[in-house]
Amino acid sequence: MTQEAEDIQKSDNNLTPKQQKQRLTELAMVFLRLGTIAFGGPAAHIAMMDNEVVNRRQWMSREKLLDLLGITNLIPGPNSTELAIHIGYERAGWRGLLVAGSCFILPAMLIVWTLAAIYARYQTVPQVEWLLYGIKPVIIAIVLQAVWNLGKKAAKDAPTIIAGIAAIAAYFAGLNEILVLILLGVVVMLLKNWQSRGNITGAFLLPFSGVLAQVGSTAAVTSVSWISVFFFFLKIGCVLYGSGYVLLAFLQRELVERNQWLTSQQLLDAVAIGQFTPGPVFTTATFIGYLLAGNAGAIAGTIGIFLPAFVLVWVVNPWVSKLRQSPWASGFLDGVNAASLGLMAGVTYTLGQAALVDWLTITVAIVSAIAVFRFQINSAWLVLAGGAIGLASHL
């Protein structure tokens, strides 16, 4: 951690009530805006947070943000939402944790809730392909900037550079992301500390506790009430790693095949809604909760799937700086950080294939890249411009 970051950390512990209120207000404004414009999935969300928190507001160093990102990759739950919660906790304690996380989730929840009500009535959703057509190329440029900026900090030396390249290869080989993160973390830790000895047990507590938590996680829910919806999604929030696509596979098995609460088409529509709305993909739970138990189900599903993320971050965050003080744990975290960026680079390539489909989208991506790399234009304006271009091309 840099001296500047350490000073920020110390000052957080001595805030006056006025300073606390100001920080909470700033967190609310930043994450409400990000939650409203953060299209494109976790990689895009992380890119926007990096730009907002490190570049524009200098709330923390990029090294600190990388450490927080590395930790979120080792615990279950939605990574970008957990990163928002971490940032809130670092900035304004437990109140900041609640404000940042809630404000990041709230816009997406309200949008998905509205679309669920429309869907329940008409069994269809508004067509927004034209909107995403213009926004997706912009997202690619924003993510590329984050991969570049974060990558320069993560690639500290030969072991971390090798770990990043290995993670990219592992992504395209289709290997399990959690396994890749843990193995590369261990490899970098051993390479950096092979001449010294120490107790390395603590470095494995976080990842293995998460893996073990997945044992026995498929108990069926007996009846569809808002309470059943809450406990069903609470269980998912406690054990699920990965993206919305992993969520889709889990929900298909539980909701369609085992409990027969939804049809496959309804489930696909629910995940599609989570994908094309801004904010966390896990707001799919809001949509499904509404279909199963109305307004109470929408609220219960949302709280259930996100609640574990708030608890896990609250428990884990104080250990981040302590892990950095141990050579073994620090080496492990360096490896996880580099592997995380490697996986993010792989995701960017996949997103690019889906987004850059013709000359217009390629042009939008190139212009957006120049805007973010050369002129540091706020990503919110670029997302709005991309949406406008998509609309214009549709009309």
Side-chain angles (χ1 to χ4, degrees):
M1 184 186 292
T2 64
Q3 184 61 46
E4 177 191 5
E6 287 178 358
D7 292 341
I8 292 171
Q9 184 71 31
K10 289 174 184 175
S11 68
D12 288 347
N13 298 326
N14 301 295
L15 295 176
T16 65
K18 184 178 179 181
Q19 290 174 318
Q20 179 80 6
K21 183 178 179 181
Q22 181 183 358
R23 290 196 175 192
L24 291 174
T25 303
E26 288 175 342
L27 283 168
M29 291 174 62
V30 166
F31 284 101
L32 276 173
R33 190 175 86 253
L34 287 179
T36 304
I37 63 152
F39 292 89
H45 305 167
I46 292 163
M48 291 181 182
M49 289 180 205
D50 170 67
N51 183 52
E52 191 73 43
V53 172
V54 178
N55 288 346
R56 295 189 66 222
R57 298 179 181 271
Q58 299 178 334
W59 282 351
M60 62 179 64
S61 65
R62 186 159 278 121
E63 290 90 344
K64 180 68 173 181
L65 188 74
L66 263 175
D67 285 348
L68 297 177
L69 178 60
I71 291 294
T72 66
N73 280 301
L74 296 177
I75 58 178
N79 289 358
S80 57
T81 306
E82 287 172 343
L83 185 59
I85 297 169
H86 270 297
I87 293 167
Y89 189 74
E90 290 283 330
R91 188 71 182 152
W94 67 267
R95 295 180 183 86
L97 172 149
L98 293 174
V99 167
S102 300
C103 288
F104 185 62
I105 295 164
L106 184 62
M109 176 193 174
L110 294 177
I111 294 169
V112 171
W113 193 347
T114 302
L115 292 174
I118 296 171
Y119 182 88
R121 180 161 183 166
Y122 300 107
Q123 289 302 301
T124 186
V125 293
Q127 297 298 305
V128 293
E129 286 84 358
W130 55 265
L131 184 69
L132 290 182
Y133 172 79
I135 289 176
K136 282 181 178 178
V138 175
I139 296 301
I140 298 303
I142 294 169
V143 173
L144 277 174
Q145 185 198 33
V147 170
W148 175 255
N149 288 337
L150 293 170
K152 286 190 292 185
K153 296 295 183 182
K156 298 179 175 182
D157 45 33
T160 50
I161 292 171
I162 292 169
I165 295 170
I168 295 173
Y171 173 83
F172 287 110
L175 300 181
N176 181 279
E177 289 91 344
I178 300 303
L179 186 62
V180 170
L181 290 168
I182 294 173
L183 288 180
L184 290 176
V186 170
V187 168
V188 172
M189 176 183 71
L190 293 175
L191 286 174
K192 287 191 170 192
N193 295 278
W194 67 278
Q195 290 180 318
S196 59
R197 296 165 183 253
N199 179 13
I200 63 174
T201 308
F204 301 103
L205 290 179
L206 288 174
F208 284 128
S209 65
V211 173
L212 292 172
Q214 298 189 64
V215 177
S217 65
T218 57
V221 181
T222 55
S223 62
V224 188
S225 66
W226 70 266
I227 296 174
S228 299
V229 169
F230 171 76
F231 282 110
F232 175 76
F233 282 108
L234 181 69
K235 176 189 65 178
I236 291 177
C238 287
V239 302
L240 190 70
Y241 284 93
S243 68
Y245 299 109
V246 179
L247 180 66
L248 173 60
F250 194 99
L251 295 177
Q252 171 72 22
R253 186 175 68 246
E254 292 284 316
L255 294 177
V256 179
E257 297 170 10
R258 181 163 298 171
N259 295 322
Q260 298 180 336
W261 286 356
L262 298 177
T263 65
S264 291
Q265 184 58 52
Q266 286 176 318
L267 179 58
L268 284 171
D269 289 341
V271 174
I273 290 286
Q275 291 284 346
F276 74 61
T277 50
V281 176
F282 278 37
T283 48
T284 295
T286 309
F287 190 93
I288 293 172
Y290 184 90
L291 295 186
L292 294 178
N295 291 324
I299 297 169
T302 308
I303 294 174
I305 202 165
F306 287 109
L307 182 60
F310 285 88
V311 175
L312 284 167
V313 170
W314 178 65
V315 171
V316 166
N317 184 278
W319 293 93
V320 177
S321 57
K322 292 181 176 63
L323 288 173
R324 269 292 169 210
Q325 294 167 12
S326 161
W328 289 95
S330 183
F332 180 76
L333 198 52
D334 283 342
V336 170
N337 287 346
S340 299
L341 266 294
L343 293 175
M344 195 168 164
V347 169
T348 306
Y349 177 81
T350 303
L351 290 173
Q353 286 184 309
L356 308 180
V357 294
D358 54 27
W359 67 268
L360 179 59
T361 50
I362 292 171
T363 302
V364 170
I366 292 172
V367 172
S368 299
I370 294 170
V372 294
F373 278 96
R374 179 71 180 85
F375 299 106
Q376 305 292 315
I377 292 176
N378 191 315
S379 58
W381 296 112
L382 292 175
V383 169
L384 290 173
I389 290 169
L391 174 60
S393 68
H394 176 70
L395 296 175

